[in-house]
Amino acid sequence: MVVKGRRKKLASRLLTEEDEGYLKWKGRIPLIYDWFTNDNLSWPSLSCRWGQQLEEKAYKNIQRLYLSERASYFDNLSFNNLFSIVQTDGTYPNTLVVANCEVVKPRTATAEHISVFDEESQSPYVKKIKTIIHPGEIFLSPEHGNLPSGGKKSEDNLNEYGEEDEAELVNRIRELPQNSNIVATHTDSPEVLIWDVDAQPDCGDDLGAADSHPNLILTGHQSNAEYALAMCNYEALVLSGGRDNLVVLWCIRDHVSSLANTTSLGVPMGSPSLVQSVNASEDKISDSPTVAPRSIFHGHTDTVEDVQFCHFSPQEFCSVGDDSCLILWDARAGRSPALKVEKAHDGDINCVDWSPHDENFLLTGSADSSVKMFDRRNLTSGGSGSSLHTFQHHKAAVLCVQALIFSFFWSPDKSSVFGSAGEDNLVNIWDYAKVGASYEHFMRTPTAPPGLFFQHAGHRDKVVDFHWNATEPWTIASVSDDCARVNGGGTLQVWRMSDLIHRHEDEVLAELEMRYRHEDEELNEQLVSSFRS
């Protein structure tokens, strides 16, 4: 595979390689979506997160959107190809991108408007406003030992943990709920980095610029911590898991506990800010202030892949990993598992979410292609996957699972809805309330499994992350890593299914009947007018 630094535009590619399923999906866009936009990313992205709503307008709202850019993607490259994608100084940085997204309000976009898009173009609704250069990009030179050499590791290229020193790819982004301008990032390193995105300077398109300086560095892992990352709804707590099989807990306030200035949220702000600004000099990343962990939890026997706080208690959280275990923790009870479910899946567990609507329900997604729902009231330590239900329709590993985030003002009865995404290029939307129901939803096809009521098939490679929008009903941002298929880029899609799909069937049928009756009246009027003329 040849990867070009800036994604090469192959206009004829879609005409020859799009599969039948994607073409069918494209033709159905006006029927199944209320709004849809596609943004061709120059670099692959492994994470996307909604931030705060910035402005409300008549027909659209402006909202912050965070993305990662994984510029250093060099798998399977030949020696010659490497030199065709690097700058003269030999570096391409990985970045944290801050963007503003114009989110069109429900029932505003026309069918013609959302159905016409170019897969190779950038979306007019997504505007990059700031680029933060992430520390740790690969320096490509024979002297640094980073060029491929028959797959052998250079001893000079090993870090202090004995692991190969690779680019610190921005694998995960998580925003602090109390202040979404504060975000944490996970990279291929043992540290978690904290950023005050408003205080960070914009590096723009200057790929040769020096690394941005994180406002805080959270230390405590003994090996790389790549994906497992969460932030607490109630306190400035950060949770992480890594290859060292550990779950690590920090409090950002520990760095500024001596400051007098705090907000009503109890999150230290003011000057110095929540995370003190660091001089933008040529100092190393280690010159940024560091925070040691409050607690380190032992219980996994393999890499921890995901963590999540309980939405009802900052002291309770859960974790999953490559040991196929689901572990529930209570920081008040010590550093050992409060409950450990052995073999919760038949493969590595890649993701977990704790329901924001019911403290008893948890969701897990696995390399075994399934999603499971657990009720912790039914779990006992040593249990072997005693789930409430197993959702099976993915054809490859599930990489992300998330319960619907909603406001009771616009969706009080959808607490059973969640989404899952994976390596089969799909985002599936499920409703647990429909599992075992005596009726069939009118939109469900005969082959759909119980609970599945919508499938987003717009990505052409694995969907690595998605995020429900908490302020815009039923709006989702999803990203796919298209490196294996579309010459090194990625795809961001922001979409909202038609409300005819998720509303109550009686309401939908009544609206359709009224619509058809109105169309019949218009047709009759046209016929009468034509006859009289």
Side-chain angles (χ1 to χ4, degrees), residues 277-470:
S277 298
V278 180
N279 243 343
S281 64
E282 295 183 357
D283 297 335
K284 295 182 179 180
I285 180 176
S286 58
D287 293 331
S288 298
T290 61
V291 175
R294 279 198 170 182
S295 297
I296 297 178
F297 300 87
H298 302 260
H300 284 282
T301 58
D302 207 335
T303 299
V304 180
E305 293 288 356
D306 201 9
V307 291
Q308 185 59 261
F309 281 99
C310 175
H311 293 269
F312 300 89
S313 170
Q315 303 298 328
E316 297 179 82
F317 40 90
C318 62
S319 60
V320 294
D322 291 348
D323 54 6
S324 303
C325 291
L326 165 64
I327 300 182
L328 276 60
W329 310 84
D330 190 331
R332 297 164 295 192
R335 301 182 180 183
S336 298
L339 190 150
K340 182 175 183 179
V341 180
E342 306 278 358
K343 200 169 176 58
H345 281 265
D346 292 330
D348 299 352
I349 307 180
N350 297 322
C351 48
V352 64
D353 194 23
W354 204 317
S355 171
H357 321 299
D358 191 318
E359 62 183 2
N360 294 306
F361 294 138
L362 299 97
L363 294 161
T364 57
S366 171
D368 65 11
S369 307
S370 72
V371 175
K372 289 188 177 183
M373 175 177 281
F374 293 88
D375 185 339
R376 67 171 175 174
R377 294 169 296 189
N378 300 334
L379 298 177
T380 58
S381 287
S384 56
S386 51
S387 60
L388 280 179
H389 187 75
T390 300
F391 301 85
Q392 293 180 313
H393 196 62
H394 283 285
K395 298 178 177 62
V398 178
L399 301 178
C400 184
V401 63
Q402 188 191 15
L404 170 65
I405 304 172
F406 66 83
S407 164
F408 276 98
F409 292 105
W410 56 262
S411 186
D413 60 342
K414 296 300 181 183
S415 61
S416 55
V417 173
F418 67 93
S420 61
E423 293 183 355
D424 56 1
N425 313 346
L426 300 173
V427 181
N428 290 333
I429 308 299
W430 310 81
D431 188 349
Y432 174 67
K434 299 188 184 303
V435 174
S438 58
Y439 64 92
E440 296 290 335
H441 193 279
F442 78 102
M443 289 295 290
R444 184 183 160 196
T445 62
T447 58
L452 181 66
F453 71 95
F454 188 81
Q455 191 170 73
H456 177 65
H459 290 283
R460 291 169 291 164
D461 214 319
K462 60 184 178 181
V463 182
V464 290
D465 201 10
F466 75 94
H467 193 205
W468 293 95
N469 192 314

Side-chain angles (χ1 to χ4, degrees), residues 75-244:
D75 293 350
N76 302 321
L77 294 183
S78 68
F79 182 89
N80 291 331
N81 288 332
L82 280 168
F83 285 100
S84 67
I85 65 175
V86 298
Q87 299 182 105
T88 54
D89 66 348
T91 62
Y92 258 105
N94 297 282
T95 58
L96 169 63
V97 175
V98 183
N100 286 346
C101 181
E102 297 180 354
V103 182
V104 176
K105 291 187 175 182
R107 297 203 165 202
T108 299
T110 64
E112 293 79 8
H113 182 75
I114 65 174
S115 61
V116 179
F117 71 94
D118 180 7
E119 290 89 344
E120 303 299 326
S121 298
Q122 295 181 330
S123 169
Y125 297 98
V126 180
K127 297 178 175 60
K128 183 188 295 186
I129 62 169
K130 182 178 287 188
T131 298
I132 298 170
I133 295 182
H134 220 274
E137 72 274 7
I138 290 178
F139 186 88
L140 292 174
S141 70
E143 291 79 10
H144 280 70
N146 288 319
L147 293 178
S149 56
K152 296 180 180 179
K153 296 182 180 180
S154 168
E155 293 184 0
D156 296 333
N157 204 31
L158 299 180
N159 61 25
E160 60 182 302
Y161 304 96
E163 298 169 339
E164 191 170 11
D165 195 10
E166 300 173 347
E168 292 188 13
L169 310 176
V170 187
N171 299 324
R172 281 291 180 269
I173 304 168
R174 292 295 181 261
E175 72 288 351
L176 184 66
Q178 304 95 310
N179 183 350
S180 61
N181 289 326
I182 307 300
V183 300
T185 56
H186 240 329
T187 64
D188 292 347
S189 75
E191 293 82 20
V192 177
L193 306 184
I194 304 295
W195 307 86
D196 184 343
V197 295
D198 283 350
Q200 287 288 330
D202 179 21
C203 296
D205 294 325
D206 183 8
L207 297 181
D211 294 345
S212 301
H213 287 260
N215 300 90
L216 280 181
I217 302 173
L218 309 185
T219 63
H221 275 293
Q222 301 172 10
S223 185
N224 283 358
E226 298 167 336
Y227 293 101
L229 183 63
M231 302 189 88
C232 181
N233 283 341
Y234 298 105
E235 298 183 22
L237 300 174
V238 181
L239 195 64
S240 169
R243 288 189 191 176
D244 51 12

